[in-house]
Amino acid sequence: MAPLVSVITVCLNNSKTIKDCLNSVRVQTYQNIEHIIVDGGSTDGTLKIIDEFRSDHAKVVSEPDFGVYDAMNKGLLLANGDIVCFLNSDDRYVDENVIDAVVTHFAVTGADTVLADVNFFDPRRPHLIVRKYPACRFKPTFLKFGWMPPHPGFFARRKIYDQYGSFDVSYTIAGDFEFIARVFSSDRISYSYLNKAAVSMATGGISTSGLKSKITLNREVMRACKQNGIRTNWLCLMMKYPLKIWDLTFLKPV
């Protein structure tokens, strides 16, 4: 039987972008998908749009939460899939074959996790890709530089969450980094790179908007490394920014 894939989307007042996100899941050629939507109590029409996409494969919960990682944990509790992934409410899959390619890659490689590239687009011009976030560079040793695979391009077998737990809600920005650090600091998890851009992600998210957010992000990354026994320092964390400039300047998005 084809593995069930759980796609989890958390949202709050995203009426301008949620439809593209939901539609990108609906049109996937892979059929065995459950799309779990965790809404934080939207008041802007988001829920009306979500209602248009209700099906036997969708689960929707709408209630206040304690932040994005609390909402993501709610999604994990609802997920029944053999493979679990997260798709942000202002992001979308690049084409209709993404989940099919991911499931095939799991089957061929036998890996515990699959890492795929993510493209960034300008929300003012959604069809303009401005930067590529490559997953191919990732190695667990790069965590000390604050370098993680792009989370929207991170696909994991359910057993990973069963074994390592959910997201730490004490983090406000770097909860996904802390989870990745927790998983890969064990040296017991296999991963494989899928040479494909899986997700188009909007720029301007909380982790990339403004100096204050960057300071908070790096402080939380430092704490996550310490929490998971990864030796780092501020110089190491700053080294990732020249690489991001390289990506912006020289990597051609696909």
Side-chain angles (χ1 to χ4, degrees):
M1 183 178 177
L4 176 64
V5 177
S6 296
V7 179
I8 301 171
T9 296
V10 302
C11 60
L12 177 63
N13 294 330
N14 292 107
S15 61
K16 293 182 179 180
T17 60
I18 190 72
K19 188 169 186 176
D20 286 342
C21 168
L22 300 180
N23 192 59
S24 78
V25 178
R26 171 181 276 182
V27 301
Q28 290 298 302
T29 56
Y30 189 80
Q31 294 296 303
N32 202 17
I33 297 174
E34 61 169 12
H35 195 181
I36 299 166
I37 303 157
V38 183
D39 177 76
S42 293
T43 58
D44 70 336
T46 295
L47 288 172
K48 183 177 180 180
I49 297 170
I50 290 172
D51 280 340
E52 299 174 13
F53 287 81
R54 285 185 185 269
S55 71
D56 293 337
H57 303 292
K59 299 177 183 178
V60 179
V61 58
S62 180
E63 61 187 20
D65 53 54
F66 297 102
V68 62
Y69 297 115
D70 180 45
M72 290 165 72
N73 287 342
K74 289 180 182 181
L76 286 173
L77 289 173
L78 293 169
N80 295 309
D82 306 289
I83 297 168
V84 178
C85 57
F86 290 85
L87 183 66
N88 299 326
S89 57
D90 51 357
D91 303 344
R92 58 181 185 262
Y93 289 126
V94 298
D95 59 46
E96 69 274 14
N97 299 311
V98 168
I99 300 300
D100 196 14
V102 167
V103 172
T104 299
H105 200 75
F106 269 109
V108 170
T109 64
D112 296 319
T113 60
V114 168
L115 315 179
D117 298 337
V118 167
N119 290 336
F120 283 90
F121 66 89
D122 185 336
R124 296 167 298 182
R125 291 175 289 175
H127 298 291
L128 177 63
I129 302 301
V130 297
R131 181 164 71 89
K132 181 177 179 180
Y133 189 160
C136 58
R137 290 202 188 101
F138 174 73
K139 296 179 182 178
T141 53
F142 285 9
L143 289 166
K144 69 179 180 181
F145 301 109
W147 185 270
M148 62 176 282
H151 193 243
F154 177 79
F155 301 83
R157 297 187 188 273
R158 174 72 206 201
K159 69 176 185 179
I160 299 300
Y161 295 96
D162 293 339
Q163 184 175 352
Y164 291 94
S166 55
F167 296 93
D168 186 337
V169 297
S170 69
Y171 287 82
T172 58
I173 298 180
D176 47 355
F177 178 89
E178 190 282 323
F179 179 80
I180 296 290
R182 194 189 324 155
V183 169
F184 286 107
S185 61
S186 70
D187 292 327
R188 295 190 296 270
I189 300 303
S190 61
Y191 62 95
S192 181
Y193 171 60
L194 172 63
N195 188 13
K196 175 180 176 63
V199 173
S200 289
M201 181 177 182
T203 59
I206 188 171
S207 64
T208 59
S209 56
L211 179 60
K212 185 177 180 180
S213 292
K214 286 184 172 60
I215 292 171
T216 301
L217 173 65
N218 283 303
R219 284 176 175 168
E220 290 193 355
V221 166
M222 182 73 78
R223 176 160 70 96
C225 286
K226 183 177 180 180
Q227 187 172 317
N228 291 284
I230 299 169
R231 297 180 63 181
T232 190
N233 54 54
W234 286 108
L235 179 60
C236 284
L237 295 187
M238 294 303 105
M239 289 176 65
K240 68 176 176 285
Y241 290 108
L243 190 56
K244 286 187 176 182
I245 294 173
W246 172 273
D247 291 347
L248 183 61
T249 306
F250 296 104
L251 278 185
K252 182 179 179 181
V254 294

